[in-house]
Amino acid sequence: MTAEKSTLHPRNLHRNSYDFEQLISCVPELKHYVFINSYGNQTINFSIPKAVKLLNKALLQHFYSVKNWDIPDENLCPPIPGRADYIHYLADLLTENSKEIPKGLSVKVLDIGTGANLVYPLIAHQFYGWEMLGTDINEKSLENAQKILDENPDFSSHIQLKFQPDSNFIFKNILCQENRFAFSMCNPPFHDSEESAMKGNIRKTKNLKKSKTPKTNLNFGGQQSELWCEGGELAFISKIIEESALFSYQILWFTCLVSKQENLFKLTSLLKKVKAVEVKTIDMAQGQKISRILAWTFVPKENRKDCFK
């Protein structure tokens, strides 16, 4: 019997422990990184970037039918179960007027900072059939995301990519007047500098290796736009909130991951200032990591039924 990860969303396909025999059948190269730990379970060393990338490739192929997924070594390699959780909690936001889970192309979602990995759009479209638009300020990241789509023609007609030419803006240059989305989503840069990002990476590597002298790697990191920005997470999410008020009736629910609990007070205060009519904080937990989704809307509840459908 496989252990269930009860902290994950009930619809998350990754609640059970990894079945490495199945995953290796999808990506044979993964077998070189699988070993038996002290508890007698199969696992990989999560401090080895190649092992994590191959695990992701196998998970995406086995659970979501994504073929030949790959990213450059310098880009962020995200944990698939946590990314899936965010998407499932988004789906719950649309069930307030109905018990039915919203599926199909009528639900359109904007992924801010989709990155080279394209993980959110891939999972969201395969699981729920949603129409996805991924944006990024890094052209090379979008080029790799397009390569993934080129390998997966079944996805490519329902996942669009758009370059954001100005890092000062989130929605401007992306949204046209006629655009309507059920959600926007974002996993913002966490750190406020490269030094902060590297220190955070060292801490994570130490925790995984249980060593005081780890060799630093960027398995958890990636390029600047994925890792850090001036002012860090608080400044980035504040920018999203301020700009969201200008596009208040084009997106039903604006959402963003918030890693630092201490940022919530300032962010919710700013949401009051821009006159959001409802604000929700949704807690998520993957293993020892605690995160949360901040969601807000400018659409009164009585006007939300069948909104943007």
Side-chain angles (χ1 to χ4, degrees):
M1 178 179 287
T2 55
E4 187 174 66
K5 303 168 189 173
S6 59
T7 57
L8 292 176
H9 190 282
R11 291 193 299 278
N12 197 317
L13 298 178
H14 310 289
R15 286 173 64 88
N16 293 324
S17 299
Y18 296 134
D19 185 332
F20 279 99
E21 297 306 317
Q22 283 185 337
L23 297 177
I24 289 169
S25 71
C26 294
V27 180
E29 191 181 354
L30 180 62
K31 68 182 177 183
H32 301 301
Y33 297 90
V34 176
F35 66 96
I36 306 294
N37 64 16
S38 58
Y39 299 101
N41 300 319
Q42 287 186 313
T43 189
I44 63 167
N45 186 337
F46 285 90
S47 67
I48 300 175
K50 179 73 170 178
V52 176
K53 189 191 290 192
L54 289 170
L55 174 62
N56 277 9
K57 183 176 183 178
L59 289 171
L60 288 167
Q61 182 171 327
H62 178 69
F63 289 100
Y64 305 104
S65 303
V66 178
K67 298 173 185 176
N68 300 317
W69 180 88
D70 196 15
I71 56 172
D73 290 341
E74 65 267 20
N75 284 103
L76 184 68
C77 195
I80 302 300
R83 296 299 192 263
D85 245 30
Y86 188 174
I87 291 161
H88 294 306
Y89 281 111
L90 282 189
D92 291 343
L93 281 174
L94 282 190
T95 61
E96 59 184 359
N97 293 309
S98 169
K99 291 184 179 179
E100 255 184 71
I101 302 298
K103 294 185 178 182
L105 299 175
S106 63
V107 178
K108 295 176 172 56
V109 182
L110 173 63
D111 179 22
I112 300 162
T114 198
N117 60 71
L118 198 64
V119 163
Y120 285 129
L122 293 169
I123 294 175
H125 177 70
Q126 180 60 18
F127 196 94
Y128 290 110
W130 295 345
E131 186 95 9
M132 304 293 298
L133 173 61
T135 73
D136 209 285
I137 63 170
N138 189 306
E139 288 184 280
K140 286 187 177 180
S141 291
L142 289 179
E143 286 173 8
N144 194 78
Q146 185 59 53
K147 284 182 183 178
I148 295 171
L149 291 177
D150 292 343
E151 293 282 347
N152 294 272
D154 290 345
F155 290 81
S156 60
S157 58
H158 304 299
I159 298 175
Q160 307 300 317
L161 301 174
K162 194 166 185 179
F163 175 59
Q164 169 59 271
D166 191 335
S167 61
N168 292 311
F169 297 116
I170 304 295
F171 304 108
K172 186 179 177 182
N173 304 321
I174 297 298
L175 296 185
C176 302
Q177 192 171 358
E178 65 273 13
N179 289 147
R180 297 291 185 274
F181 290 90
F183 311 108
S184 67
M185 61 188 305
C186 182
N187 186 5
F190 178 78
H191 299 283
D192 58 9
S193 67
E194 182 176 9
E195 180 184 10
S196 171
M198 293 303 290
K199 285 180 179 177
N201 180 60
I202 290 171
R203 283 195 300 271
K204 287 182 179 181
T205 310
K206 278 184 178 180
N207 289 338
L208 288 174
K209 289 187 174 182
K210 297 182 179 178
S211 166
K212 292 184 179 179
T213 56
K215 179 183 177 183
T216 304
N217 64 68
L218 288 177
N219 174 45
F220 307 100
Q223 300 189 347
Q224 177 180 345
S225 58
E226 297 174 316
L227 273 176
W228 68 89
C229 67
E230 186 175 350
E233 174 184 87
L234 180 60
F236 194 93
I237 303 174
S238 295
K239 186 192 299 184
I240 295 177
I241 291 172
E242 289 166 353
E243 203 175 328
S244 72
L246 303 176
F247 298 88
S248 57
Y249 281 86
Q250 290 187 250
I251 297 175
L252 176 55
W253 284 101
F254 297 86
T255 76
C256 190
L257 288 182
V258 182
S259 293
K260 296 182 179 180
Q261 170 113 24
E262 61 266 29
N263 287 336
L264 281 175
F265 177 77
K266 288 183 179 179
L267 293 172
T268 52
S269 297
L270 182 56
L271 284 165
K272 288 179 183 176
K273 185 178 177 182
V274 299
K275 296 182 169 53
V277 300
E278 186 173 356
V279 177
K280 293 186 177 186
T281 302
I282 303 163
D283 291 326
M284 297 194 304
Q286 295 96 41
Q288 295 180 340
K289 179 176 171 57
I290 304 296
S291 188
R292 66 237 10 113
I293 301 167
L294 183 63
W296 65 98
T297 183
F298 298 91
V299 180
K301 195 166 188 177
E302 61 271 19
N303 296 340
R304 292 178 206 161
K305 190 174 182 180
D306 299 323
C307 202
F308 306 142
K309 288 190 177 183

